[in-house]
């Protein structure tokens, strides 16, 4: 009978012989499917947990006595934090590959658009909208990305941290894409001013509700509250509203065929991030021991952040009336966003 770590009482290398220790396959965790995926092999239990295998307890403790990761970093509770598997199964290599493909696409679109002289044909009012309001939106994306970057440090498992960190990376990439996009087309448009986006973000009344919503998320001390607020609440009510409901629908009607493909990658990003978030929140909302407490907690977060997101969305309403060509109304787009969050909450069982 091979010795196991608990019977040996030591965490030293070689102190115990584990099952399959001479195998190239892993079986120290339960895969979601019949066989472990590559994502599970490189993600599950990469982050140590004294309750599972780290019998000598945390190797490094903070001054307050806490180990590197503690369950108390969130008010949510789980019978098994290690049960979560991100549906997109993204890890380091696949993430870099996907980000590289997106960047190649974005730069190709911008280069081809500039080569054809497209920015010079943009409607003049639309040019002003891009400078002021798309320029302001990059700050929103940066704020969300920064919040998620901070949040990922506190997740109890590598699977949760991976999903949160890739989410952050997508947001920061989009903020960078918008910055570079505006700088490049600005070289082809006389009188372009790169500073108007920041000025609009800081001073324009239409954006102050969005700032308040994002800064409230950034100030939250619970990392899962940040993750929940961004993907379950802010994104469907404000993010998709502005990106899909305004930029991607109105641009072409104002002679701009470059902005939609630049922004489109963000919508695909959100679908992946939303799937990950729904999977994690669903597990917690239906936990065998803590479902009731978690559901009450999530409803509190929903009430707090939905009020701010609704205020932010209504604040942006005047932007829909600015373009010369108005192919879609704010009311119609807002109705879609309300239906969207309703579907999300129904899937989670939080709509009662």
């Amino acid at each position: 009978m091979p010795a196991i770590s608990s019977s040996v009482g030591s965490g030293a290398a070689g102190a115990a012989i584990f099952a399959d220790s001479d195998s190239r396959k892993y079986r120290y965790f339960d895969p979601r499917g019949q066989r472990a995926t590559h994502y599970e092999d490189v993600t599950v239990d990469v982050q140590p947990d004294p309750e599972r295998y780290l019998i000598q307890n945390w190797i490094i403790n903070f001054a307050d006595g806490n180990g590197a990761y503690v369950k108390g970093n969130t008010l949510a509770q789980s019978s098994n934090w290690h049960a979560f598997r991100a549906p997109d199964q993204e890890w380091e290599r696949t993430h870099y590959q996907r980000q590289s493909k997106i960047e190649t696409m974005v730069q190709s679109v911008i280069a081809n658009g500039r080569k054809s002289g497209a920015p010079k044909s943009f409607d003049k009012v639309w040019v002003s909208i891009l400078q002021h309001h798309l320029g302001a939106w990059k700050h929103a994306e940066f704020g969300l990305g920064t919040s998620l970057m901070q949040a990922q440090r506190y997740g109890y498992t590598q699977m949760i941290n991976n999903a949160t960190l890739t989410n952050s990376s997508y947001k920061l990439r989009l903020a960078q894409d918008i910055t570079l996009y505006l700088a490049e087309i600005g070289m082809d448009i006389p009188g372009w001013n790169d500073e108007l986006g920041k000025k609009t973000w800081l001073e324009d009344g239409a954006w102050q509700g969005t700032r308040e919503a994002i800064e409230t998320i950034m100030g939250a001390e619970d990392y899962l509250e940040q993750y929940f607020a961004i993907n379950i609440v802010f994104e469907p009510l404000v993010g998709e509203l502005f990106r899909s409901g305004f930029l991607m629908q109105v641009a072409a009607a104002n002679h701009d065929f470059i902005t939609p493909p630049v922004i489109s990658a963000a919508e695909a990003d959100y679908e992946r991030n939303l799937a990950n978030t729904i999977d994690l929140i669903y597990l917690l909302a239906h936990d065998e021991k803590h479902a009731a407490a978690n559901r009450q907690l999530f409803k509190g977060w929903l009430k707090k952040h939905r009020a701010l997101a609704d205020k932010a969305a209504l604040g942006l309403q005047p932007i829909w009336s600015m373009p010369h060509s108005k192919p879609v109304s704010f009311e119609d787009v807002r109705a879609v966003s309300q239906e969207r969050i309703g579907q999300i909450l129904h899937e989670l069982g939080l709509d009662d």
Side-chain angles (χ1 to χ4, degrees):
M1 178 73 180
I4 59 174
S5 58
S6 58
S7 64
V8 174
S10 170
I17 300 174
F18 293 89
D20 289 342
S21 61
D22 59 348
S23 172
R24 295 178 64 85
K25 299 290 184 181
Y26 300 101
R27 82 170 191 187
Y28 54 80
F29 62 85
D30 295 323
R32 172 162 285 189
Q34 289 187 335
R35 296 182 178 179
T37 64
H38 197 170
Y39 156 78
E40 288 178 307
D41 282 344
V42 299
T43 307
V44 179
D45 285 317
V46 169
Q47 188 165 293
D49 183 352
E51 294 182 6
R52 288 163 73 90
Y53 312 111
L54 208 62
I55 63 170
Q56 73 272 40
N57 210 338
W58 293 105
I59 299 171
I60 298 176
N61 281 12
F62 290 108
D64 60 3
N66 285 326
Y69 297 91
V70 295
K71 296 176 181 178
N73 286 328
T74 177
L75 293 177
Q77 303 173 71
S78 175
S79 300
N80 178 15
W81 284 107
H82 299 268
F84 172 68
R85 305 285 191 273
D88 69 350
Q89 299 209 6
E90 193 153 287
W91 60 287
E92 185 176 359
R93 186 179 70 188
T94 56
H95 181 67
Y96 288 142
Q97 289 172 337
R98 186 167 186 272
Q99 289 282 59
S100 176
K101 290 177 181 178
I102 292 172
E103 283 302 289
T104 299
M105 180 275 291
V106 169
Q107 289 305 311
S108 178
V109 166
I110 296 173
N112 290 333
R114 290 189 63 202
K115 184 177 179 180
S116 66
K120 296 177 183 178
S121 67
F122 289 179
D123 179 87
K124 301 304 180 186
V125 173
W126 184 250
V127 168
S128 177
I129 290 172
L130 292 178
Q131 289 182 93
H132 287 84
H133 300 293
L134 179 54
W137 184 253
K138 72 180 180 183
H139 295 283
E141 295 288 351
F142 181 80
L144 296 174
T146 301
S147 179
L148 288 163
M149 183 189 297
Q150 184 268 343
Q152 68 83 30
R153 166 61 184 83
Y154 298 98
Y156 193 68
T157 74
Q158 184 72 10
M159 295 80 76
I160 295 173
N161 287 355
N162 246 38
T164 313
L165 185 56
T166 55
N167 196 160
S168 171
S169 177
Y170 287 133
K171 287 295 180 188
L172 296 177
R173 188 215 72 235
L174 178 59
Q176 173 183 276
D177 286 345
I178 295 173
T179 301
L180 295 175
Y181 168 56
L182 294 177
E184 292 198 40
I185 64 171
M187 292 188 285
D188 301 329
I189 301 174
W192 184 272
N193 185 348
D194 281 322
E195 297 298 318
L196 292 179
K198 181 179 180 180
K199 182 178 177 64
T200 300
W201 174 250
L202 294 175
E203 301 176 9
D204 193 320
W207 286 97
Q208 301 318 298
T210 303
R211 282 187 62 197
E212 181 183 6
I214 292 176
E215 289 171 12
T216 300
I217 293 171
M218 295 177 73
E221 296 182 353
D222 189 311
Y223 74 92
L224 273 186
E225 178 183 351
Q226 293 176 302
Y227 195 44
F228 179 98
I230 289 172
N231 290 318
I232 303 300
V233 185
F234 184 89
E235 279 287 84
L237 291 178
V238 187
E240 284 189 318
L241 179 86
F242 186 71
R243 293 189 307 261
S244 293
F246 181 70
L247 293 172
M248 294 183 65
Q249 294 199 51
V250 180
N254 289 274
H255 309 155
D256 175 7
F257 298 92
I258 310 178
T259 301
V262 172
I263 299 299
S264 66
E267 303 311 86
D269 293 341
Y270 177 50
E271 290 298 337
R272 299 168 71 90
N273 296 327
L274 177 62
N276 291 344
T277 312
I278 286 177
D279 208 72
L280 175 58
I281 299 302
Y282 185 90
L283 282 172
L284 297 172
H286 296 80
D287 187 88
E288 59 184 19
K289 294 181 181 178
H290 308 290
N294 286 338
R295 288 165 63 85
Q296 184 177 3
L297 176 68
F298 297 155
K299 289 180 178 180
W301 290 348
L302 176 63
K303 181 179 180 181
K304 170 185 174 181
H305 292 285
R306 185 167 189 170
L308 292 170
D310 283 336
K311 177 182 176 182
L314 291 173
L316 297 176
Q317 182 174 3
I319 300 175
W320 268 254
S321 64
M322 293 178 181
H324 279 144
S325 181
K326 306 173 180 64
V328 64
S329 71
F330 175 81
E331 290 74 18
D332 289 343
V333 172
R334 182 90 193 288
V336 172
S337 73
Q338 293 292 329
E339 182 180 0
R340 171 73 148 162
I341 192 172
Q343 293 171 342
I344 294 170
L345 296 177
H346 179 71
E347 187 172 350
L348 291 170
L350 297 177
D351 56 346
D352 52 6

